Each structure stands twice: as C-alpha cells, then as structure tokens.
Coordinates of all heavy atoms in Angstrom, one line a residue:
M1 N -42.7 9.3 -32.7 CA -43.4 8.8 -31.6 C -43.4 9.9 -30.5 O -42.4 10.6 -30.2 CB -42.7 7.5 -31.0 CG -43.1 7.1 -29.7 SD -42.2 5.7 -29.0 CE -43.5 4.9 -28.1
K2 N -44.5 9.8 -29.8 CA -44.7 10.8 -28.7 C -45.2 9.9 -27.5 O -46.1 9.2 -27.5 CB -45.8 11.8 -29.0 CG -45.7 13.1 -28.2 CD -46.8 14.1 -28.6 CE -46.3 14.9 -29.7 NZ -47.3 16.1 -30.0
L3 N -44.5 10.1 -26.3 CA -44.7 9.3 -25.2 C -44.8 10.2 -24.0 O -44.0 11.1 -23.8 CB -43.6 8.2 -24.9 CG -43.8 7.2 -23.7 CD1 -45.0 6.4 -24.0 CD2 -42.5 6.5 -23.6
R4 N -45.8 10.0 -23.1 CA -45.9 10.8 -21.8 C -45.7 9.9 -20.6 O -46.2 8.7 -20.6 CB -47.3 11.4 -21.8 CG -47.5 12.4 -22.9 CD -48.9 13.1 -22.7 NE -49.0 14.1 -23.7 CZ -49.8 13.9 -24.8 NH1 -50.4 12.7 -25.0 NH2 -49.8 14.9 -25.7
V5 N -44.9 10.4 -19.7 CA -44.5 9.6 -18.5 C -44.5 10.6 -17.3 O -44.4 11.7 -17.4 CB -43.1 9.0 -18.6 CG1 -43.1 7.9 -19.7 CG2 -42.1 10.0 -18.8
Y6 N -44.7 10.0 -16.1 CA -44.6 10.7 -14.9 C -43.2 10.3 -14.4 O -42.8 9.1 -14.4 CB -45.6 10.3 -13.8 CG -47.0 10.9 -13.9 CD1 -48.1 10.1 -14.1 CD2 -47.1 12.3 -14.0 CE1 -49.4 10.7 -14.1 CE2 -48.3 12.9 -14.1 CZ -49.4 12.1 -14.2 OH -50.7 12.7 -14.3
L7 N -42.5 11.2 -13.9 CA -41.2 11.0 -13.3 C -41.3 11.5 -11.9 O -41.7 12.7 -11.5 CB -40.1 11.9 -13.9 CG -39.9 11.7 -15.5 CD1 -38.8 12.7 -15.9 CD2 -39.6 10.3 -15.8
N8 N -41.1 10.5 -11.0 CA -41.0 10.8 -9.5 C -39.6 10.9 -9.1 O -38.9 9.9 -9.2 CB -41.9 9.7 -8.8 CG -43.3 9.7 -9.0 OD1 -44.0 10.6 -8.6 ND2 -43.7 8.7 -9.8
F9 N -39.2 12.0 -8.5 CA -37.8 12.2 -8.1 C -37.8 12.2 -6.6 O -38.6 12.8 -5.9 CB -37.3 13.6 -8.5 CG -37.2 13.8 -10.0 CD1 -38.4 14.2 -10.7 CD2 -36.1 13.7 -10.7 CE1 -38.3 14.4 -12.2 CE2 -36.0 13.9 -12.0 CZ -37.1 14.3 -12.7
D10 N -36.8 11.5 -6.1 CA -36.5 11.6 -4.7 C -35.7 12.8 -4.2 O -35.2 13.5 -5.2 CB -35.9 10.2 -4.1 CG -34.5 10.0 -4.5 OD1 -33.8 10.9 -5.0 OD2 -34.0 8.9 -4.4
K11 N -35.4 12.9 -3.0 CA -34.7 14.2 -2.5 C -33.4 14.3 -3.1 O -32.8 15.4 -3.2 CB -34.8 14.4 -1.1 CG -34.0 13.4 -0.3 CD -34.2 13.7 1.2 CE -33.5 12.6 2.0 NZ -33.5 13.0 3.4
E12 N -32.7 13.2 -3.3 CA -31.3 13.3 -3.9 C -31.3 13.7 -5.4 O -30.3 14.2 -5.8 CB -30.6 11.9 -3.8 CG -30.2 11.6 -2.3 CD -31.3 11.2 -1.4 OE1 -32.1 10.5 -1.9 OE2 -31.1 11.5 -0.2
K13 N -32.3 13.4 -6.2 CA -32.3 13.7 -7.5 C -33.0 14.9 -7.9 O -32.9 15.5 -9.0 CB -33.0 12.5 -8.3 CG -32.1 11.4 -8.6 CD -31.1 11.7 -9.6 CE -30.4 10.4 -10.0 NZ -29.2 10.7 -10.8
V14 N -33.8 15.5 -7.0 CA -34.7 16.6 -7.3 C -34.0 17.9 -7.8 O -34.5 18.7 -8.5 CB -35.7 16.9 -6.1 CG1 -35.0 17.7 -5.0 CG2 -37.0 17.6 -6.7
T15 N -32.8 18.0 -7.4 CA -32.0 19.3 -7.7 C -31.2 19.0 -9.0 O -30.5 20.0 -9.5 CB -31.2 19.7 -6.5 OG1 -30.2 18.7 -6.2 CG2 -32.0 20.1 -5.3
E16 N -31.1 17.8 -9.5 CA -30.4 17.5 -10.7 C -31.0 17.8 -12.0 O -32.2 17.6 -12.1 CB -29.8 16.1 -10.7 CG -28.8 15.7 -9.6 CD -28.2 14.4 -9.6 OE1 -28.1 13.8 -10.8 OE2 -27.9 13.8 -8.6
P17 N -30.4 18.3 -13.0 CA -30.9 18.7 -14.2 C -31.2 17.4 -15.2 O -30.7 17.3 -16.2 CB -30.0 19.6 -14.9 CG -28.7 19.2 -14.5 CD -28.9 18.7 -13.0
V18 N -32.0 16.5 -14.7 CA -32.1 15.2 -15.3 C -32.7 15.3 -16.8 O -32.4 14.7 -17.8 CB -33.0 14.3 -14.5 CG1 -33.3 13.0 -15.2 CG2 -32.3 13.9 -13.2
I19 N -33.9 16.3 -16.8 CA -34.5 16.4 -18.2 C -33.5 17.0 -19.2 O -33.6 16.7 -20.4 CB -35.8 17.1 -18.0 CG1 -36.8 16.4 -17.1 CG2 -36.4 17.5 -19.3 CD1 -37.9 17.0 -16.6
W20 N -32.8 18.0 -18.7 CA -31.8 18.5 -19.5 C -30.8 17.5 -20.1 O -30.4 17.5 -21.3 CB -31.1 19.7 -18.9 CG -29.9 20.4 -19.6 CD1 -30.0 21.3 -20.6 CD2 -28.5 20.0 -19.5 NE1 -28.8 21.6 -21.1 CE2 -27.8 20.7 -20.4 CE3 -27.8 19.1 -18.7 CZ2 -26.4 20.7 -20.6 CZ3 -26.4 19.1 -19.0 CH2 -25.8 19.8 -19.9
K21 N -30.3 16.7 -19.1 CA -29.4 15.6 -19.6 C -30.0 14.6 -20.5 O -29.4 14.2 -21.4 CB -28.9 14.8 -18.3 CG -28.0 15.7 -17.4 CD -27.7 14.7 -16.1 CE -26.7 15.5 -15.1 NZ -26.5 14.7 -13.9
L22 N -31.3 14.4 -20.3 CA -32.0 13.5 -21.3 C -32.0 14.1 -22.8 O -31.7 13.4 -23.6 CB -33.4 13.4 -20.8 CG -34.3 12.5 -21.7 CD1 -33.9 11.0 -21.5 CD2 -35.8 12.6 -21.3
A23 N -32.3 15.4 -22.8 CA -32.3 16.0 -24.1 C -31.0 16.1 -24.7 O -30.7 16.1 -25.9 CB -32.9 17.4 -24.0
K24 N -29.8 16.2 -23.9 CA -28.5 16.4 -24.4 C -28.0 15.0 -24.9 O -27.3 14.9 -25.9 CB -27.6 16.9 -23.4 CG -27.8 18.3 -23.0 CD -27.4 19.3 -24.1 CE -25.9 19.5 -24.1 NZ -25.5 20.4 -25.1
E25 N -28.4 13.9 -24.1 CA -27.9 12.6 -24.4 C -28.7 11.9 -25.5 O -28.1 11.1 -26.3 CB -28.1 11.7 -23.2 CG -27.6 10.2 -23.2 CD -26.1 10.2 -23.1 OE1 -25.5 11.1 -22.6 OE2 -25.6 9.2 -23.6
F26 N -30.0 12.2 -25.8 CA -30.8 11.5 -26.8 C -31.4 12.6 -27.6 O -31.6 13.8 -27.3 CB -31.9 10.8 -26.2 CG -31.4 9.5 -25.3 CD1 -31.1 9.8 -24.0 CD2 -31.0 8.4 -25.8 CE1 -30.6 8.8 -23.1 CE2 -30.6 7.4 -25.1 CZ -30.3 7.6 -23.6
D27 N -31.6 12.3 -28.9 CA -32.2 13.2 -29.9 C -33.7 13.3 -29.7 O -34.4 12.7 -30.5 CB -31.8 12.8 -31.2 CG -32.3 13.8 -32.3 OD1 -32.5 15.0 -32.0 OD2 -32.3 13.5 -33.5
V28 N -34.1 13.8 -28.6 CA -35.7 13.9 -28.3 C -36.0 15.3 -27.9 O -35.2 16.1 -27.5 CB -36.1 12.9 -27.2 CG1 -35.8 11.5 -27.5 CG2 -35.2 13.3 -25.9
I29 N -37.3 15.6 -28.1 CA -37.9 16.8 -27.7 C -38.6 16.5 -26.5 O -39.4 15.6 -26.4 CB -38.9 17.4 -28.7 CG1 -38.1 17.7 -30.1 CG2 -39.6 18.6 -28.2 CD1 -39.1 17.9 -31.3
T30 N -38.3 17.3 -25.4 CA -39.0 17.1 -24.1 C -40.0 18.3 -24.0 O -39.6 19.5 -24.3 CB -38.0 17.1 -23.0 OG1 -37.3 18.2 -22.9 CG2 -37.1 15.9 -23.2
N31 N -41.1 18.0 -23.3 CA -42.1 19.0 -23.0 C -42.7 18.7 -21.7 O -43.3 17.7 -21.4 CB -43.1 19.1 -24.0 CG -44.2 20.1 -23.9 OD1 -44.0 21.1 -23.1 ND2 -45.3 20.1 -24.7
I32 N -42.4 19.6 -20.6 CA -42.9 19.4 -19.3 C -44.4 19.9 -19.4 O -44.6 21.0 -19.6 CB -42.2 20.2 -18.3 CG1 -40.7 19.7 -18.2 CG2 -42.8 20.2 -16.9 CD1 -39.8 20.6 -17.4
R33 N -45.3 18.9 -19.1 CA -46.7 19.2 -19.1 C -47.2 19.6 -17.8 O -48.3 20.3 -17.7 CB -47.4 17.9 -19.7 CG -46.9 17.5 -21.1 CD -47.2 18.6 -22.1 NE -48.5 19.0 -22.2 CZ -49.4 18.6 -23.2 NH1 -49.1 17.8 -24.0 NH2 -50.7 19.1 -23.1
T34 N -46.7 19.1 -16.8 CA -47.1 19.4 -15.4 C -45.9 19.1 -14.5 O -45.1 18.3 -14.8 CB -48.4 18.6 -15.0 OG1 -48.7 19.0 -13.7 CG2 -48.1 17.2 -14.9
A35 N -45.8 19.8 -13.4 CA -44.8 19.6 -12.4 C -45.1 20.2 -11.0 O -45.7 21.2 -11.0 CB -43.5 20.3 -13.0
E36 N -44.6 19.4 -10.1 CA -44.7 19.9 -8.7 C -43.4 19.5 -8.2 O -43.0 18.3 -8.0 CB -45.8 19.2 -8.0 CG -45.8 19.6 -6.5 CD -47.1 19.1 -5.7 OE1 -47.9 18.4 -6.3 OE2 -47.0 19.2 -4.4
V37 N -42.5 20.5 -7.7 CA -41.2 20.2 -7.2 C -41.2 20.9 -5.9 O -41.5 22.1 -5.7 CB -40.2 20.8 -8.2 CG1 -38.8 20.6 -7.7 CG2 -40.4 20.3 -9.6
K38 N -40.6 20.1 -4.9 CA -40.5 20.6 -3.6 C -39.0 20.2 -3.2 O -38.2 19.6 -4.0 CB -41.4 19.9 -2.7 CG -42.9 20.3 -3.0 CD -43.9 19.7 -1.9 CE -45.3 20.1 -2.3 NZ -46.2 19.4 -1.4
E39 N -38.6 20.7 -2.0 CA -37.3 20.4 -1.5 C -36.9 18.9 -1.6 O -35.7 18.6 -1.8 CB -37.1 21.1 -0.1 CG -35.7 21.1 0.3 CD -35.6 21.8 1.7 OE1 -36.0 23.0 1.8 OE2 -35.2 21.3 2.6
D40 N -37.8 18.1 -1.1 CA -37.5 16.7 -0.9 C -38.1 15.8 -2.0 O -38.0 14.5 -1.8 CB -37.8 16.3 0.5 CG -39.4 16.5 0.8 OD1 -40.0 17.1 0.0 OD2 -39.8 15.9 1.8
M41 N -38.8 16.3 -2.9 CA -39.4 15.4 -3.9 C -39.9 16.1 -5.2 O -40.0 17.3 -5.1 CB -40.7 14.6 -3.4 CG -41.8 15.5 -2.9 SD -42.9 16.3 -4.1 CE -43.7 14.9 -4.8
G42 N -40.1 15.4 -6.3 CA -40.5 16.1 -7.5 C -41.5 15.2 -8.3 O -41.2 13.9 -8.3
L43 N -42.5 15.7 -8.8 CA -43.3 14.9 -9.8 C -43.5 15.8 -11.0 O -43.9 16.9 -11.0 CB -44.7 14.7 -9.1 CG -45.7 14.0 -10.1 CD1 -45.3 12.6 -10.4 CD2 -47.1 14.0 -9.4
V44 N -43.1 15.2 -12.2 CA -43.1 15.8 -13.4 C -43.9 14.9 -14.4 O -43.6 13.8 -14.6 CB -41.7 16.1 -14.0 CG1 -41.7 16.7 -15.3 CG2 -40.9 17.0 -13.1
G45 N -44.8 15.5 -15.1 CA -45.5 15.0 -16.3 C -44.7 15.4 -17.6 O -44.7 16.5 -17.8
L46 N -44.0 14.5 -18.1 CA -43.0 14.8 -19.3 C -43.5 14.1 -20.5 O -43.8 12.9 -20.5 CB -41.7 14.3 -18.9 CG -40.6 14.7 -19.9 CD1 -40.4 16.2 -19.9 CD2 -39.3 14.0 -19.5
E47 N -43.5 14.9 -21.5 CA -43.8 14.4 -22.9 C -42.4 14.2 -23.6 O -41.7 15.2 -23.6 CB -44.7 15.4 -23.7 CG -45.1 14.9 -25.1 CD -46.1 15.9 -25.6 OE1 -45.6 17.0 -26.1 OE2 -47.3 15.6 -25.5
I48 N -42.2 13.1 -24.2 CA -40.9 12.8 -25.0 C -41.3 12.5 -26.4 O -42.1 11.7 -26.6 CB -40.2 11.7 -24.2 CG1 -39.9 11.9 -22.8 CG2 -38.8 11.5 -25.0 CD1 -39.5 10.7 -22.0
E49 N -40.7 13.1 -27.3 CA -41.0 13.0 -28.7 C -39.8 12.7 -29.6 O -38.7 13.4 -29.3 CB -41.7 14.2 -29.2 CG -42.2 14.0 -30.7 CD -43.1 15.3 -31.2 OE1 -43.4 16.2 -30.3 OE2 -43.4 15.2 -32.4
G50 N -39.9 11.9 -30.4 CA -38.7 11.5 -31.3 C -38.9 10.2 -32.1 O -40.0 9.7 -32.0
E51 N -37.8 9.8 -32.7 CA -38.0 8.4 -33.3 C -38.2 7.4 -32.2 O -37.7 7.5 -31.1 CB -36.6 8.1 -34.0 CG -36.3 9.1 -35.2 CD -37.2 9.0 -36.3 OE1 -37.7 7.8 -36.7 OE2 -37.6 10.0 -37.0
T52 N -39.0 6.5 -32.7 CA -39.5 5.4 -31.7 C -38.2 4.8 -30.9 O -38.3 4.7 -29.7 CB -40.2 4.3 -32.4 OG1 -41.3 4.9 -33.0 CG2 -40.7 3.2 -31.5
E53 N -37.2 4.3 -31.6 CA -36.2 3.7 -30.9 C -35.4 4.6 -30.0 O -34.9 4.2 -28.9 CB -35.2 2.9 -31.9 CG -34.5 3.8 -32.9 CD -35.5 4.1 -34.2 OE1 -36.5 3.5 -34.4 OE2 -35.0 4.9 -34.9
V54 N -35.4 5.9 -30.4 CA -34.6 6.9 -29.5 C -35.4 7.1 -28.3 O -34.9 7.2 -27.2 CB -34.3 8.2 -30.4 CG1 -33.5 9.2 -29.4 CG2 -33.5 7.8 -31.5
V55 N -36.7 7.3 -28.4 CA -37.6 7.5 -27.3 C -37.6 6.3 -26.3 O -37.5 6.5 -25.1 CB -39.0 7.7 -27.7 CG1 -40.0 7.9 -26.5 CG2 -39.1 9.1 -28.5
E56 N -37.6 5.1 -26.8 CA -37.5 3.9 -26.0 C -36.2 3.8 -25.3 O -36.1 3.6 -24.1 CB -37.7 2.8 -26.8 CG -39.1 2.5 -27.3 CD -39.3 1.4 -28.3 OE1 -38.4 0.8 -28.8 OE2 -40.5 1.2 -28.7
A57 N -35.1 4.2 -25.9 CA -33.8 4.3 -25.3 C -33.8 5.3 -24.2 O -33.2 5.1 -23.1 CB -32.7 4.6 -26.3
A58 N -34.4 6.5 -24.4 CA -34.4 7.6 -23.5 C -35.2 7.2 -22.2 O -34.7 7.4 -21.2 CB -35.0 8.9 -24.2
V59 N -36.3 6.4 -22.4 CA -37.1 6.0 -21.3 C -36.2 5.0 -20.4 O -36.2 5.0 -19.3 CB -38.4 5.5 -21.7 CG1 -39.1 4.9 -20.5 CG2 -39.3 6.6 -22.2
K60 N -35.6 4.0 -21.1 CA -34.8 3.1 -20.5 C -33.7 3.7 -19.7 O -33.3 3.4 -18.5 CB -34.1 2.0 -21.5 CG -35.1 1.0 -21.9 CD -34.4 0.1 -22.9 CE -35.6 -0.9 -23.4 NZ -35.0 -1.8 -24.4
W61 N -33.1 4.8 -20.2 CA -32.0 5.6 -19.5 C -32.6 6.1 -18.2 O -32.0 6.1 -17.2 CB -31.4 6.7 -20.4 CG -30.4 7.5 -19.8 CD1 -29.1 7.2 -19.7 CD2 -30.6 8.8 -19.1 NE1 -28.5 8.3 -19.0 CE2 -29.4 9.3 -18.8 CE3 -31.8 9.5 -19.0 CZ2 -29.2 10.5 -17.9 CZ3 -31.6 10.8 -18.3 CH2 -30.3 11.3 -17.9
L62 N -33.9 6.8 -18.4 CA -34.5 7.4 -17.2 C -34.8 6.3 -16.1 O -34.5 6.5 -14.9 CB -35.8 8.0 -17.5 CG -35.8 9.3 -18.3 CD1 -37.2 9.7 -18.8 CD2 -35.3 10.4 -17.3
E63 N -35.2 5.1 -16.5 CA -35.6 4.1 -15.6 C -34.3 3.5 -14.9 O -34.3 3.1 -13.7 CB -36.2 2.9 -16.3 CG -37.5 3.2 -16.8 CD -38.3 2.2 -17.7 OE1 -37.5 1.4 -18.3 OE2 -39.4 2.3 -17.8
A64 N -33.1 3.7 -15.5 CA -31.9 3.2 -14.9 C -31.3 4.2 -13.9 O -30.3 3.9 -13.2 CB -30.9 3.0 -16.0
Q65 N -31.8 5.4 -13.8 CA -31.3 6.4 -13.0 C -31.8 6.2 -11.5 O -33.0 6.0 -11.3 CB -31.8 7.8 -13.4 CG -31.4 8.3 -14.8 CD -30.0 8.2 -15.0 OE1 -29.1 9.0 -14.3 NE2 -29.5 7.4 -16.0
D66 N -30.9 6.1 -10.6 CA -31.2 5.9 -9.2 C -32.0 7.2 -8.7 O -31.7 8.3 -9.1 CB -30.0 5.8 -8.3 CG -29.3 4.5 -8.5 OD1 -30.0 3.5 -8.8 OD2 -28.1 4.3 -8.3
G67 N -33.1 7.0 -8.0 CA -33.8 8.1 -7.4 C -34.9 8.6 -8.3 O -35.5 9.6 -8.0
I68 N -35.1 7.9 -9.4 CA -36.2 8.3 -10.3 C -37.0 7.1 -10.6 O -36.6 6.1 -11.0 CB -35.7 9.0 -11.6 CG1 -34.8 10.2 -11.4 CG2 -36.8 9.3 -12.5 CD1 -34.1 10.6 -12.7
H69 N -38.4 7.3 -10.5 CA -39.3 6.3 -10.8 C -40.1 6.7 -12.0 O -40.6 7.9 -11.9 CB -40.3 6.0 -9.6 CG -41.3 5.0 -9.9 ND1 -41.0 3.7 -10.0 CD2 -42.6 5.1 -10.1 CE1 -42.2 3.0 -10.3 NE2 -43.1 3.8 -10.4
V70 N -40.2 5.9 -13.0 CA -40.9 6.4 -14.3 C -42.2 5.5 -14.4 O -42.2 4.3 -14.3 CB -39.9 6.0 -15.4 CG1 -40.6 6.5 -16.7 CG2 -38.7 6.7 -15.3
E71 N -43.3 6.3 -14.6 CA -44.6 5.6 -14.9 C -45.2 6.1 -16.1 O -45.2 7.4 -16.4 CB -45.6 5.9 -13.8 CG -45.3 5.1 -12.4 CD -46.4 5.5 -11.5 OE1 -47.6 5.4 -11.8 OE2 -46.0 5.8 -10.3
P72 N -45.8 5.2 -17.0 CA -46.4 5.8 -18.3 C -47.7 6.5 -17.8 O -48.4 6.2 -16.8 CB -46.7 4.5 -19.1 CG -46.6 3.4 -18.0 CD -45.8 3.9 -16.9
I73 N -48.0 7.5 -18.7 CA -49.3 8.2 -18.5 C -50.3 7.8 -19.5 O -49.9 7.7 -20.8 CB -49.1 9.7 -18.7 CG1 -48.2 10.3 -17.6 CG2 -50.4 10.5 -18.5 CD1 -47.9 11.7 -17.7
E74 N -51.5 7.4 -19.2 CA -52.4 6.9 -20.2 C -52.7 8.2 -21.1 O -52.9 9.3 -20.6 CB -53.7 6.5 -19.5 CG -53.4 5.3 -18.8 CD -54.8 4.7 -18.2 OE1 -55.8 4.9 -18.9 OE2 -54.8 4.2 -17.1
Q75 N -52.8 8.0 -22.4 CA -53.2 9.1 -23.3 C -54.5 9.8 -22.9 O -55.4 9.2 -22.4 CB -53.4 8.4 -24.7 CG -52.0 7.9 -25.3 CD -51.1 9.0 -25.6 OE1 -50.4 9.5 -24.7 NE2 -50.8 9.3 -26.8
G76 N -54.4 11.1 -23.0 CA -55.7 11.8 -22.8 C -55.7 12.5 -21.4 O -56.4 13.4 -21.1
I77 N -54.8 12.0 -20.4 CA -54.9 12.6 -19.0 C -54.4 14.0 -19.1 O -55.0 14.8 -18.4 CB -54.0 11.7 -18.1 CG1 -54.7 10.4 -17.9 CG2 -53.9 12.4 -16.7 CD1 -54.0 9.4 -17.0
I78 N -53.3 14.4 -19.8 CA -52.9 15.7 -19.7 C -52.8 16.3 -21.2 O -51.9 16.9 -21.6 CB -51.4 15.8 -19.1 CG1 -50.3 14.9 -19.8 CG2 -51.6 15.6 -17.6 CD1 -49.0 15.1 -19.2
E79 N -53.8 15.9 -22.0 CA -53.8 16.5 -23.3 C -54.0 17.9 -23.4 O -54.6 18.5 -22.4 CB -55.0 15.8 -24.1 CG -54.8 14.4 -24.4 CD -53.8 14.0 -25.5 OE1 -53.6 14.9 -26.4 OE2 -53.3 12.9 -25.6
G80 N -53.6 18.5 -24.4 CA -53.9 20.0 -24.6 C -52.9 20.9 -24.0 O -52.2 21.3 -23.6

C-alpha cells in the first residue's frame, strides 16, 4: 500500500525528527514529496509505503503525536 499525507507541524514539533522516528518505529518506506519548513511551522507532503496494516498503524501513530496534524492527499496531486 502507498499512502500520501500532508503533515502540518507546529513550532514545538518542527525541529523533531518525526519522519525518522516513523521509519524506525514501523516497517515503512517514507518519501518526502514536498516540504516547506520554517522556524515556527512545517508542511510536508509525505508518501508512506508498506504493508496495509503497517501503513495504517503508522498513520495512527502520526495522528496521536501532539503538534502534528495529518491530512490525506488526494491521489494525483503530487504524482511524479
């Protein structure tokens, strides 16, 4: 399964290695498709690939993190 999400980071989370932690915690491949990171905020378009149940668990983990808002990206928006 391949899933694309937007991650919105607040200023407390923007300096933390959240995507690295995600890849270490779950058996997924992460691919940053787009990003804008500033001192007080971050927006990342992230592709997460792996077994369906692992990807779903990884997204739930992201959603449980304080300071991160997760939104699905419709297929095709950042293809290629």
Side-chain angles (χ1 to χ4, degrees):
M1 167 185 210
K2 206 181 272 192
L3 180 68
R4 293 183 179 105
V5 294
Y6 280 125
L7 304 177
N8 292 292
F9 296 84
D10 68 13
K11 66 180 178 177
E12 284 78 31
K13 280 289 192 193
V14 77
T15 59
E16 290 189 27
V18 174
I19 296 170
W20 176 83
K21 289 179 183 178
L22 179 74
K24 293 291 280 182
E25 183 76 24
F26 299 92
D27 186 20
V28 294
I29 298 167
T30 58
N31 185 10
I32 297 172
R33 302 300 302 260
T34 186
E36 181 177 349
V37 180
K38 297 181 180 179
E39 188 174 306
D40 61 345
M41 62 76 68
L43 174 64
V44 176
L46 184 67
E47 184 176 83
I48 306 168
E49 184 176 356
E51 296 293 325
T52 300
E53 58 276 356
V54 178
V55 171
E56 289 171 353
V59 171
K60 285 182 183 179
W61 180 85
L62 283 169
E63 291 172 337
Q65 302 302 302
D66 288 333
I68 300 174
H69 179 73
V70 182
E71 285 185 47
I73 297 175
E74 292 183 38
Q75 294 292 74
I77 291 178
I78 57 172
E79 292 285 337

